[in-house]
Amino acid sequence: MNYEYSQKEFEFFIELYQMVSAYSASHPMDTGGADCEKNIQGGVEKLGQTPYLKLGVSDVENANGLVTLMGAMEVVAAVSPSLYLTAEYSMRLLGRALAKWGDEKQKQAFLNPLISGSAIGALALCEQTVNVDNEPLAATGEKQGSTVIISGRKQFVVNGPVAKVIGVVGTCDGKPAIFLVDGDAPGLSINRTEGSFGYKGACISEMILENCRIDEDRMIRCSEKEDMVSVLRLWENQILTGASLGLMRASFESARDYAKSHKTGGKPIIAYQEIGFKLAEMLTLFQTSQMLAIRAAWTAEKQPREAFDLTLCAKVFCTESAARVSGEAMNIFGSSAYFGANPVEHAYCCARYGESFGTSTELSRIKIGDAALGIKP
Amino acid sequence: MDFGFTKEQQMFKKEIIRFAKKEIVPRVQEFDLHKQFDFESFRKLGEFGILGLHFPEEYGGGGADVVTTVMAGEALGEAGVDGGLTLAYGAHSFLCADTIFKHGSEEQRKKYIPKLCSGEWIGCMGLTEPDAGSDVASMKSTAEKKGDKYILNGSKIFITNAPVADVSVVYAKTDPDAKHLGISAFIVEKGTPGYTCGEPLIKMGVRTSQTSEQFFSNCEIPAENLLGSEGDGFNMSLQTVEWDRSALLAPFVGVSTYMLKRCADYAKKRVQFGRSIGQFQATKRKLANIRIFGEAARSLIYRIAWCKDQGKPLNHLEAAVAKLFVGDWSMGPANDAMILHGGYGYCHEYDMERIFRDSRLAPIGGGTSDIQKMIISKLM
Ligand SMILES: Cc1cc2nc3c(=O)[nH]c(=O)nc-3n(C[C@H](O)[C@H](O)[C@H](O)COP(=O)(O)OP(=O)(O)OC[C@H]3O[C@@H](n4cnc5c(N)ncnc54)[C@H](O)[C@@H]3O)c2cc1C
Ligand SMILES: Cc1cc2nc3c(=O)[nH]c(=O)nc-3n(C[C@H](O)[C@H](O)[C@H](O)COP(=O)(O)OP(=O)(O)OC[C@H]3O[C@@H](n4cnc5c(N)ncnc54)[C@H](O)[C@@H]3O)c2cc1C
């Protein structure tokens, strides 16, 4: 047993924080618009110069796989949620799929640019009836000789408009597959989904694939025993859990600092129990979330069979806590959080995303309940 | 980081669960109903080695580390042992025996610890007073030194095990004008002239533990019954906090696993509207809430335990976070478990109403949730 990160891991978190916050100070990434899009691409490249993008995908010296990753996720998400989302959906969804199921050629061609940060990827999973994974996938690939012809419609795909390569999740011959489609492939149309409530710098889109052709060697398969969609959901849930930690850190720390410096009635507002105790509850949720998230990550690595339920527990707890903590932070800031772009307001908006995406809070609870009842998925 | 338990620890946990299910759990509801202390179960805890688990073997203990000790508390809750007995165990082993062990002379250790480990003697700790609860430093009980004796005067309230205890650690002021620094700790044995206990208080939950007032009226104790030095008392009471935030909270975590199993079994069998209630999403939601609470709380208490094993000084902020979380967030799951059982959940025949009542102590005992928030907001 060991409940602490190592000195080396701490050093890595500090370096990562310094790098991302310095870059984000001169390159805004959470405001939206074309500049922001460019800044995020630069930010992903910067991350590629650190071990960050490799974590959870390949061995990194002095790191402890997903456990280190969870701590690093918190750091990046706290500084720039949009950079975080972009990097994670690129690397920890498509990248991990390539690392786990891709062949050597696919890894060379597609995974290496993602790891180095020179390219951004996307994973298109969500469909109109597959937003909470309760319907079979409608996107299909049909084999014709050595070509696969893909048709389908995807929505809310993070990184769609900026991705060099998109992993489209569907079925081929009735079995799950990921089709690696170039961002500019004929037959693929991408429509940016404008006006998102949070993650204002991230590019989210709808995708229509009409007879989009790829070579057969651009198709990724998993083994018969694996449930590909469940694994992808687990990874997505880990991403949203990590995001929640970062959003809580940003909200809590901003609110705490504000409460110590902002005065009313001649006293800093933290001196009033209504505020001081609210912050105590926020910190309790934040610290409890951290411990649960890290333990779930550790379990995913060491005891994968127990990880599905525990990851869902962590996802529900952390995303709901993030929504509450960021909401309370808004209260502490009073009117000043309500006007204009600021980190607290943005964290609040981003936190709304966590509960609904991945395996939604509602569906997660049903699955956790099923597990308690011994009902197999 | 590594959240794994050793094979030995895992096996030991299973053994405790098996023992508790066989020897203790079948008696729990009856004793709760009659609000009685279960001497036999307490003695069996001693025989099994739980009461003295973390004390060195030379004093009759088990020589276990803190993590294993916390695990034992979790196991008792998981087996279905009631909060009254686990509280009695906590007050005995950690608030009383551990304080004597840590701060007593070798003679005092030899005299008390083996008897407390075996359960031959029962211990308690008197800190809270009628007018000094959260604000410990405002205590009024005094201990005046006269020759080779101390004369104790004052009263304590809400003292777990007091009516059944053979030995008590009692806090009183040797310097009534000083605040925290005027508090000292003493060993007081049952039968000492001038020391009496009130009738057991009638409580909402943890009913098998006996709680009462302690009265000291010109109670003379030998000067050597002072623990440590005069003025050390407040710090000693703080040191029990480490146990309070780990081992004493552990049964609440264990009980969440117990509730989950009981609720799942009930939900599978109970049929309404032609279907088992487990098929309703509202039921699954309740099961999920119980599981999520248990998983979240577990990491917090083991973090405190692991740090203590490493010899790290207690992180008061993390300790308060653990206490606040278990205290305030355990209410929802206990409520869910009771409601999941419908009308049966409200009746004593099923133990959910008892667990609900027992769990209400978590935000009060050992420092209320407000006090935890006060600590956290000061330290943040
Ligand atoms: C079943 C049981 C067993 C117990 N066992 C023991 C034992 O073995 N030994 C022992 O010494 N004690 C024991 N206690 C006592 C327990 O530790 C105290 O009840 C607890 O510390 C609270 O003190 P109090 O009851 O005097 O409440 P008070 O301190 O009077 O508090 C009343 C209310 O005011 C709030 N409050 C107080 N101060 C503040 C503040 N500054 N800011 C905001 N809110 C505040 C509290 O949170 C609480 O809600 C036991 C209690 C119970 C119920
Ligand atoms: C003190 C007391 C006094 C009472 N007095 C009377 C009385 O005078 N007369 C009388 O006739 N009755 C009385 N009752 C019975 C009371 O009305 C029932 O307990 C209550 O209606 C719940 O029924 P049940 O206990 O059978 O629970 P169940 O119906 O078995 O429900 C168990 C659990 O499953 C949930 N559940 C059930 N169906 C669904 C669904 N479709 N979707 C989601 N969740 C579901 C419930 O919400 C509950 O959490 C009394 C009960 C109590 C505790």
Side-chain angles (χ1 to χ4, degrees), chain A residues 74 78 244-250 252-253 279-293 317-318 321-322 325, chain B residues 300 321:
Chain A
E74 179 186 316
S244 302
L245 300 184
L247 296 171
M248 274 187 271
R249 175 174 289 284
F252 167 75
E253 288 182 348
L279 282 161
E281 286 175 15
M282 290 160 67
L283 184 58
T284 297
L285 285 172
F286 174 36
Q287 283 205 355
T288 309
S289 297
Q290 279 178 319
M291 295 312 296
L292 180 54
F317 187 81
C318 296
S321 296
V325 168
Chain B
L300 294 177
V321 161

PDB file of all heavy atoms in Angstrom, chain A residues 74 78 244-250 252-253 279-293 317-318 321-322 325, chain B residues 300 321:
ATOM      1  N   GLU A  74      -5.424  16.010 -13.859  1.00  0.00           N
ATOM      2  CA  GLU A  74      -5.947  17.077 -12.993  1.00  0.00           C
ATOM      3  C   GLU A  74      -5.204  18.384 -13.258  1.00  0.00           C
ATOM      4  O   GLU A  74      -5.823  19.455 -13.334  1.00  0.00           O
ATOM      5  CB  GLU A  74      -5.791  16.643 -11.528  1.00  0.00           C
ATOM      6  CG  GLU A  74      -6.277  17.677 -10.544  1.00  0.00           C
ATOM      7  CD  GLU A  74      -5.989  17.285  -9.103  1.00  0.00           C
ATOM      8  OE1 GLU A  74      -6.204  16.113  -8.733  1.00  0.00           O
ATOM      9  OE2 GLU A  74      -5.548  18.165  -8.339  1.00  0.00           O
ATOM     10  N   ALA A  78      -7.082  21.592 -14.982  1.00  0.00           N
ATOM     11  CA  ALA A  78      -7.267  22.769 -14.122  1.00  0.00           C
ATOM     12  C   ALA A  78      -6.841  24.038 -14.841  1.00  0.00           C
ATOM     13  O   ALA A  78      -7.445  25.087 -14.682  1.00  0.00           O
ATOM     14  CB  ALA A  78      -6.465  22.604 -12.833  1.00  0.00           C
ATOM     15  N   SER A 244     -12.937  16.302 -14.168  1.00  0.00           N
ATOM     16  CA  SER A 244     -13.650  16.776 -12.978  1.00  0.00           C
ATOM     17  C   SER A 244     -12.673  17.202 -11.887  1.00  0.00           C
ATOM     18  O   SER A 244     -12.902  18.192 -11.202  1.00  0.00           O
ATOM     19  CB  SER A 244     -14.555  15.675 -12.422  1.00  0.00           C
ATOM     20  OG  SER A 244     -15.460  15.282 -13.409  1.00  0.00           O
ATOM     21  N   LEU A 245     -11.601  16.424 -11.745  1.00  0.00           N
ATOM     22  CA  LEU A 245     -10.606  16.789 -10.729  1.00  0.00           C
ATOM     23  C   LEU A 245     -10.010  18.159 -11.052  1.00  0.00           C
ATOM     24  O   LEU A 245      -9.873  19.012 -10.169  1.00  0.00           O
ATOM     25  CB  LEU A 245      -9.487  15.746 -10.649  1.00  0.00           C
ATOM     26  CG  LEU A 245      -9.880  14.314 -10.280  1.00  0.00           C
ATOM     27  CD1 LEU A 245      -8.622  13.447 -10.143  1.00  0.00           C
ATOM     28  CD2 LEU A 245     -10.681  14.262  -8.989  1.00  0.00           C
ATOM     29  N   GLY A 246      -9.650  18.360 -12.311  1.00  0.00           N
ATOM     30  CA  GLY A 246      -9.060  19.643 -12.708  1.00  0.00           C
ATOM     31  C   GLY A 246     -10.050  20.791 -12.515  1.00  0.00           C
ATOM     32  O   GLY A 246      -9.684  21.865 -12.023  1.00  0.00           O
ATOM     33  N   LEU A 247     -11.298  20.560 -12.886  1.00  0.00           N
ATOM     34  CA  LEU A 247     -12.308  21.615 -12.756  1.00  0.00           C
ATOM     35  C   LEU A 247     -12.542  21.949 -11.284  1.00  0.00           C
ATOM     36  O   LEU A 247     -12.736  23.113 -10.921  1.00  0.00           O
ATOM     37  CB  LEU A 247     -13.620  21.178 -13.420  1.00  0.00           C
ATOM     38  CG  LEU A 247     -13.515  20.958 -14.938  1.00  0.00           C
ATOM     39  CD1 LEU A 247     -14.790  20.327 -15.489  1.00  0.00           C
ATOM     40  CD2 LEU A 247     -13.210  22.263 -15.669  1.00  0.00           C
ATOM     41  N   MET A 248     -12.502  20.915 -10.445  1.00  0.00           N
ATOM     42  CA  MET A 248     -12.671  21.175  -9.013  1.00  0.00           C
ATOM     43  C   MET A 248     -11.476  21.944  -8.465  1.00  0.00           C
ATOM     44  O   MET A 248     -11.646  22.846  -7.659  1.00  0.00           O
ATOM     45  CB  MET A 248     -12.837  19.858  -8.244  1.00  0.00           C
ATOM     46  CG  MET A 248     -14.267  19.399  -8.228  1.00  0.00           C
ATOM     47  SD  MET A 248     -14.507  17.980  -7.165  1.00  0.00           S
ATOM     48  CE  MET A 248     -14.208  16.656  -8.294  1.00  0.00           C
ATOM     49  N   ARG A 249     -10.287  21.550  -8.904  1.00  0.00           N
ATOM     50  CA  ARG A 249      -9.107  22.274  -8.414  1.00  0.00           C
ATOM     51  C   ARG A 249      -9.197  23.755  -8.805  1.00  0.00           C
ATOM     52  O   ARG A 249      -9.014  24.636  -7.964  1.00  0.00           O
ATOM     53  CB  ARG A 249      -7.810  21.670  -8.973  1.00  0.00           C
ATOM     54  CG  ARG A 249      -6.586  22.481  -8.586  1.00  0.00           C
ATOM     55  CD  ARG A 249      -5.284  21.832  -9.010  1.00  0.00           C
ATOM     56  NE  ARG A 249      -4.960  20.641  -8.242  1.00  0.00           N
ATOM     57  CZ  ARG A 249      -4.486  20.665  -6.989  1.00  0.00           C
ATOM     58  NH1 ARG A 249      -4.266  21.819  -6.383  1.00  0.00           N
ATOM     59  NH2 ARG A 249      -4.217  19.555  -6.359  1.00  0.00           N
ATOM     60  N   ALA A 250      -9.512  23.998 -10.073  1.00  0.00           N
ATOM     61  CA  ALA A 250      -9.573  25.392 -10.537  1.00  0.00           C
ATOM     62  C   ALA A 250     -10.646  26.159  -9.765  1.00  0.00           C
ATOM     63  O   ALA A 250     -10.407  27.278  -9.293  1.00  0.00           O
ATOM     64  CB  ALA A 250      -9.852  25.425 -12.035  1.00  0.00           C
ATOM     65  N   PHE A 252     -12.163  25.419  -6.831  1.00  0.00           N
ATOM     66  CA  PHE A 252     -11.914  25.520  -5.392  1.00  0.00           C
ATOM     67  C   PHE A 252     -10.820  26.536  -5.103  1.00  0.00           C
ATOM     68  O   PHE A 252     -10.983  27.412  -4.243  1.00  0.00           O
ATOM     69  CB  PHE A 252     -11.543  24.156  -4.795  1.00  0.00           C
ATOM     70  CG  PHE A 252     -10.988  24.284  -3.408  1.00  0.00           C
ATOM     71  CD1 PHE A 252     -11.843  24.553  -2.351  1.00  0.00           C
ATOM     72  CD2 PHE A 252      -9.628  24.200  -3.163  1.00  0.00           C
ATOM     73  CE1 PHE A 252     -11.342  24.736  -1.067  1.00  0.00           C
ATOM     74  CE2 PHE A 252      -9.119  24.388  -1.888  1.00  0.00           C
ATOM     75  CZ  PHE A 252      -9.984  24.650  -0.839  1.00  0.00           C
ATOM     76  N   GLU A 253      -9.708  26.434  -5.816  1.00  0.00           N
ATOM     77  CA  GLU A 253      -8.586  27.323  -5.499  1.00  0.00           C
ATOM     78  C   GLU A 253      -8.928  28.780  -5.787  1.00  0.00           C
ATOM     79  O   GLU A 253      -8.589  29.671  -5.006  1.00  0.00           O
ATOM     80  CB  GLU A 253      -7.321  26.879  -6.248  1.00  0.00           C
ATOM     81  CG  GLU A 253      -6.758  25.590  -5.650  1.00  0.00           C
ATOM     82  CD  GLU A 253      -5.482  25.107  -6.300  1.00  0.00           C
ATOM     83  OE1 GLU A 253      -5.115  25.633  -7.381  1.00  0.00           O
ATOM     84  OE2 GLU A 253      -4.845  24.182  -5.736  1.00  0.00           O
ATOM     85  N   LEU A 279     -16.594  26.300   1.661  1.00  0.00           N
ATOM     86  CA  LEU A 279     -15.289  25.925   1.097  1.00  0.00           C
ATOM     87  C   LEU A 279     -14.814  24.590   1.674  1.00  0.00           C
ATOM     88  O   LEU A 279     -14.210  23.783   0.966  1.00  0.00           O
ATOM     89  CB  LEU A 279     -14.258  27.029   1.377  1.00  0.00           C
ATOM     90  CG  LEU A 279     -14.364  28.248   0.456  1.00  0.00           C
ATOM     91  CD1 LEU A 279     -13.659  29.451   1.067  1.00  0.00           C
ATOM     92  CD2 LEU A 279     -13.762  27.955  -0.919  1.00  0.00           C
ATOM     93  N   ALA A 280     -15.093  24.374   2.955  1.00  0.00           N
ATOM     94  CA  ALA A 280     -14.694  23.101   3.579  1.00  0.00           C
ATOM     95  C   ALA A 280     -15.415  21.932   2.902  1.00  0.00           C
ATOM     96  O   ALA A 280     -14.809  20.882   2.638  1.00  0.00           O
ATOM     97  CB  ALA A 280     -15.008  23.129   5.072  1.00  0.00           C
ATOM     98  N   GLU A 281     -16.672  22.119   2.611  1.00  0.00           N
ATOM     99  CA  GLU A 281     -17.416  21.050   1.920  1.00  0.00           C
ATOM    100  C   GLU A 281     -16.861  20.849   0.513  1.00  0.00           C
ATOM    101  O   GLU A 281     -16.736  19.715   0.032  1.00  0.00           O
ATOM    102  CB  GLU A 281     -18.895  21.403   1.836  1.00  0.00           C
ATOM    103  CG  GLU A 281     -19.605  21.257   3.163  1.00  0.00           C
ATOM    104  CD  GLU A 281     -21.056  21.724   3.111  1.00  0.00           C
ATOM    105  OE1 GLU A 281     -21.609  21.892   2.016  1.00  0.00           O
ATOM    106  OE2 GLU A 281     -21.619  21.928   4.203  1.00  0.00           O
ATOM    107  N   MET A 282     -16.526  21.958  -0.145  1.00  0.00           N
ATOM    108  CA  MET A 282     -15.966  21.850  -1.500  1.00  0.00           C
ATOM    109  C   MET A 282     -14.655  21.072  -1.479  1.00  0.00           C
ATOM    110  O   MET A 282     -14.420  20.196  -2.314  1.00  0.00           O
ATOM    111  CB  MET A 282     -15.744  23.255  -2.088  1.00  0.00           C
ATOM    112  CG  MET A 282     -17.033  23.991  -2.405  1.00  0.00           C
ATOM    113  SD  MET A 282     -16.799  25.786  -2.541  1.00  0.00           S
ATOM    114  CE  MET A 282     -15.797  25.928  -4.004  1.00  0.00           C
ATOM    115  N   LEU A 283     -13.811  21.395  -0.505  1.00  0.00           N
ATOM    116  CA  LEU A 283     -12.519  20.717  -0.426  1.00  0.00           C
ATOM    117  C   LEU A 283     -12.712  19.234  -0.077  1.00  0.00           C
ATOM    118  O   LEU A 283     -11.980  18.371  -0.575  1.00  0.00           O
ATOM    119  CB  LEU A 283     -11.620  21.404   0.616  1.00  0.00           C
ATOM    120  CG  LEU A 283     -10.200  20.847   0.733  1.00  0.00           C
ATOM    121  CD1 LEU A 283      -9.446  20.911  -0.586  1.00  0.00           C
ATOM    122  CD2 LEU A 283      -9.400  21.590   1.804  1.00  0.00           C
ATOM    123  N   THR A 284     -13.701  18.966   0.743  1.00  0.00           N
ATOM    124  CA  THR A 284     -13.984  17.566   1.098  1.00  0.00           C
ATOM    125  C   THR A 284     -14.389  16.777  -0.146  1.00  0.00           C
ATOM    126  O   THR A 284     -13.902  15.666  -0.378  1.00  0.00           O
ATOM    127  CB  THR A 284     -15.086  17.523   2.182  1.00  0.00           C
ATOM    128  OG1 THR A 284     -14.572  18.165   3.345  1.00  0.00           O
ATOM    129  CG2 THR A 284     -15.482  16.096   2.520  1.00  0.00           C
ATOM    130  N   LEU A 285     -15.253  17.365  -0.937  1.00  0.00           N
ATOM    131  CA  LEU A 285     -15.654  16.676  -2.173  1.00  0.00           C
ATOM    132  C   LEU A 285     -14.473  16.522  -3.120  1.00  0.00           C
ATOM    133  O   LEU A 285     -14.304  15.474  -3.756  1.00  0.00           O
ATOM    134  CB  LEU A 285     -16.780  17.453  -2.862  1.00  0.00           C
ATOM    135  CG  LEU A 285     -18.153  17.328  -2.208  1.00  0.00           C
ATOM    136  CD1 LEU A 285     -19.146  18.277  -2.853  1.00  0.00           C
ATOM    137  CD2 LEU A 285     -18.669  15.888  -2.310  1.00  0.00           C
ATOM    138  N   PHE A 286     -13.658  17.548  -3.191  1.00  0.00           N
ATOM    139  CA  PHE A 286     -12.504  17.513  -4.092  1.00  0.00           C
ATOM    140  C   PHE A 286     -11.510  16.435  -3.654  1.00  0.00           C
ATOM    141  O   PHE A 286     -11.109  15.574  -4.455  1.00  0.00           O
ATOM    142  CB  PHE A 286     -11.864  18.914  -4.119  1.00  0.00           C
ATOM    143  CG  PHE A 286     -10.579  19.013  -4.897  1.00  0.00           C
ATOM    144  CD1 PHE A 286     -10.380  18.276  -6.060  1.00  0.00           C
ATOM    145  CD2 PHE A 286      -9.561  19.862  -4.479  1.00  0.00           C
ATOM    146  CE1 PHE A 286      -9.187  18.374  -6.773  1.00  0.00           C
ATOM    147  CE2 PHE A 286      -8.369  19.967  -5.180  1.00  0.00           C
ATOM    148  CZ  PHE A 286      -8.179  19.217  -6.327  1.00  0.00           C
ATOM    149  N   GLN A 287     -11.147  16.441  -2.381  1.00  0.00           N
ATOM    150  CA  GLN A 287     -10.164  15.447  -1.916  1.00  0.00           C
ATOM    151  C   GLN A 287     -10.717  14.026  -1.999  1.00  0.00           C
ATOM    152  O   GLN A 287      -9.996  13.093  -2.342  1.00  0.00           O
ATOM    153  CB  GLN A 287      -9.761  15.743  -0.460  1.00  0.00           C
ATOM    154  CG  GLN A 287      -8.805  16.895  -0.331  1.00  0.00           C
ATOM    155  CD  GLN A 287      -7.953  16.818   0.945  1.00  0.00           C
ATOM    156  OE1 GLN A 287      -8.143  15.940   1.782  1.00  0.00           O
ATOM    157  NE2 GLN A 287      -7.000  17.730   1.078  1.00  0.00           N
ATOM    158  N   THR A 288     -11.983  13.882  -1.673  1.00  0.00           N
ATOM    159  CA  THR A 288     -12.584  12.542  -1.745  1.00  0.00           C
ATOM    160  C   THR A 288     -12.603  12.074  -3.200  1.00  0.00           C
ATOM    161  O   THR A 288     -12.320  10.903  -3.492  1.00  0.00           O
ATOM    162  CB  THR A 288     -14.008  12.562  -1.144  1.00  0.00           C
ATOM    163  OG1 THR A 288     -13.950  13.157   0.145  1.00  0.00           O
ATOM    164  CG2 THR A 288     -14.582  11.166  -1.016  1.00  0.00           C
ATOM    165  N   SER A 289     -12.913  12.974  -4.094  1.00  0.00           N
ATOM    166  CA  SER A 289     -12.904  12.635  -5.522  1.00  0.00           C
ATOM    167  C   SER A 289     -11.517  12.212  -5.975  1.00  0.00           C
ATOM    168  O   SER A 289     -11.359  11.238  -6.707  1.00  0.00           O
ATOM    169  CB  SER A 289     -13.336  13.840  -6.370  1.00  0.00           C
ATOM    170  OG  SER A 289     -14.653  14.203  -6.075  1.00  0.00           O
ATOM    171  N   GLN A 290     -10.524  12.972  -5.533  1.00  0.00           N
ATOM    172  CA  GLN A 290      -9.142  12.633  -5.928  1.00  0.00           C
ATOM    173  C   GLN A 290      -8.813  11.201  -5.529  1.00  0.00           C
ATOM    174  O   GLN A 290      -8.329  10.416  -6.345  1.00  0.00           O
ATOM    175  CB  GLN A 290      -8.151  13.565  -5.221  1.00  0.00           C
ATOM    176  CG  GLN A 290      -7.982  14.918  -5.848  1.00  0.00           C
ATOM    177  CD  GLN A 290      -7.008  15.758  -5.032  1.00  0.00           C
ATOM    178  OE1 GLN A 290      -7.036  15.746  -3.805  1.00  0.00           O
ATOM    179  NE2 GLN A 290      -6.151  16.495  -5.701  1.00  0.00           N
ATOM    180  N   MET A 291      -9.075  10.877  -4.277  1.00  0.00           N
ATOM    181  CA  MET A 291      -8.711   9.551  -3.788  1.00  0.00           C
ATOM    182  C   MET A 291      -9.457   8.455  -4.547  1.00  0.00           C
ATOM    183  O   MET A 291      -8.892   7.427  -4.904  1.00  0.00           O
ATOM    184  CB  MET A 291      -8.990   9.421  -2.284  1.00  0.00           C
ATOM    185  CG  MET A 291      -8.168  10.307  -1.380  1.00  0.00           C
ATOM    186  SD  MET A 291      -6.407  10.300  -1.719  1.00  0.00           S
ATOM    187  CE  MET A 291      -6.009   8.616  -1.351  1.00  0.00           C
ATOM    188  N   LEU A 292     -10.733   8.701  -4.774  1.00  0.00           N
ATOM    189  CA  LEU A 292     -11.534   7.681  -5.460  1.00  0.00           C
ATOM    190  C   LEU A 292     -11.085   7.529  -6.918  1.00  0.00           C
ATOM    191  O   LEU A 292     -10.963   6.413  -7.432  1.00  0.00           O
ATOM    192  CB  LEU A 292     -13.025   8.056  -5.376  1.00  0.00           C
ATOM    193  CG  LEU A 292     -14.009   7.098  -6.029  1.00  0.00           C
ATOM    194  CD1 LEU A 292     -13.855   5.671  -5.523  1.00  0.00           C
ATOM    195  CD2 LEU A 292     -15.449   7.567  -5.784  1.00  0.00           C
ATOM    196  N   ALA A 293     -10.822   8.653  -7.564  1.00  0.00           N
ATOM    197  CA  ALA A 293     -10.408   8.614  -8.971  1.00  0.00           C
ATOM    198  C   ALA A 293      -9.078   7.879  -9.122  1.00  0.00           C
ATOM    199  O   ALA A 293      -8.902   7.053 -10.028  1.00  0.00           O
ATOM    200  CB  ALA A 293     -10.285  10.036  -9.515  1.00  0.00           C
ATOM    201  N   PHE A 317     -19.295  10.015  -8.970  1.00  0.00           N
ATOM    202  CA  PHE A 317     -18.968  10.840  -7.806  1.00  0.00           C
ATOM    203  C   PHE A 317     -18.200  12.098  -8.219  1.00  0.00           C
ATOM    204  O   PHE A 317     -18.510  13.201  -7.775  1.00  0.00           O
ATOM    205  CB  PHE A 317     -18.157  10.030  -6.785  1.00  0.00           C
ATOM    206  CG  PHE A 317     -17.951  10.778  -5.507  1.00  0.00           C
ATOM    207  CD1 PHE A 317     -18.951  10.813  -4.555  1.00  0.00           C
ATOM    208  CD2 PHE A 317     -16.779  11.478  -5.260  1.00  0.00           C
ATOM    209  CE1 PHE A 317     -18.785  11.542  -3.372  1.00  0.00           C
ATOM    210  CE2 PHE A 317     -16.604  12.203  -4.089  1.00  0.00           C
ATOM    211  CZ  PHE A 317     -17.614  12.222  -3.148  1.00  0.00           C
ATOM    212  N   CYS A 318     -17.208  11.915  -9.063  1.00  0.00           N
ATOM    213  CA  CYS A 318     -16.341  13.053  -9.412  1.00  0.00           C
ATOM    214  C   CYS A 318     -17.073  14.069 -10.288  1.00  0.00           C
ATOM    215  O   CYS A 318     -16.932  15.273 -10.085  1.00  0.00           O
ATOM    216  CB  CYS A 318     -15.071  12.564 -10.117  1.00  0.00           C
ATOM    217  SG  CYS A 318     -14.045  11.540  -9.057  1.00  0.00           S
ATOM    218  N   SER A 321     -19.597  15.833  -8.126  1.00  0.00           N
ATOM    219  CA  SER A 321     -18.907  16.729  -7.192  1.00  0.00           C
ATOM    220  C   SER A 321     -18.404  17.968  -7.924  1.00  0.00           C
ATOM    221  O   SER A 321     -18.477  19.078  -7.394  1.00  0.00           O
ATOM    222  CB  SER A 321     -17.720  16.009  -6.537  1.00  0.00           C
ATOM    223  OG  SER A 321     -18.177  14.933  -5.756  1.00  0.00           O
ATOM    224  N   ALA A 322     -17.901  17.767  -9.134  1.00  0.00           N
ATOM    225  CA  ALA A 322     -17.391  18.917  -9.895  1.00  0.00           C
ATOM    226  C   ALA A 322     -18.519  19.903 -10.179  1.00  0.00           C
ATOM    227  O   ALA A 322     -18.335  21.124 -10.099  1.00  0.00           O
ATOM    228  CB  ALA A 322     -16.741  18.446 -11.192  1.00  0.00           C
ATOM    229  N   VAL A 325     -19.157  21.604  -6.758  1.00  0.00           N
ATOM    230  CA  VAL A 325     -18.051  22.473  -6.322  1.00  0.00           C
ATOM    231  C   VAL A 325     -17.976  23.716  -7.206  1.00  0.00           C
ATOM    232  O   VAL A 325     -17.825  24.840  -6.713  1.00  0.00           O
ATOM    233  CB  VAL A 325     -16.710  21.689  -6.340  1.00  0.00           C
ATOM    234  CG1 VAL A 325     -15.520  22.606  -6.184  1.00  0.00           C
ATOM    235  CG2 VAL A 325     -16.708  20.623  -5.246  1.00  0.00           C
TER     236      VAL A 325
ATOM    237  N   LEU B 300     -10.458   7.367   1.981  1.00  0.00           N
ATOM    238  CA  LEU B 300     -10.114   8.431   2.936  1.00  0.00           C
ATOM    239  C   LEU B 300      -9.605   7.864   4.254  1.00  0.00           C
ATOM    240  O   LEU B 300      -8.627   8.356   4.809  1.00  0.00           O
ATOM    241  CB  LEU B 300     -11.339   9.309   3.212  1.00  0.00           C
ATOM    242  CG  LEU B 300     -11.869  10.131   2.032  1.00  0.00           C
ATOM    243  CD1 LEU B 300     -13.131  10.879   2.445  1.00  0.00           C
ATOM    244  CD2 LEU B 300     -10.819  11.124   1.536  1.00  0.00           C
ATOM    245  N   VAL B 321     -11.345  16.007   6.777  1.00  0.00           N
ATOM    246  CA  VAL B 321     -12.054  15.681   5.528  1.00  0.00           C
ATOM    247  C   VAL B 321     -12.691  14.285   5.647  1.00  0.00           C
ATOM    248  O   VAL B 321     -13.857  14.079   5.303  1.00  0.00           O
ATOM    249  CB  VAL B 321     -11.096  15.760   4.316  1.00  0.00           C
ATOM    250  CG1 VAL B 321     -11.640  15.008   3.118  1.00  0.00           C
ATOM    251  CG2 VAL B 321     -10.832  17.222   3.938  1.00  0.00           C
TER     252      VAL B 321
END
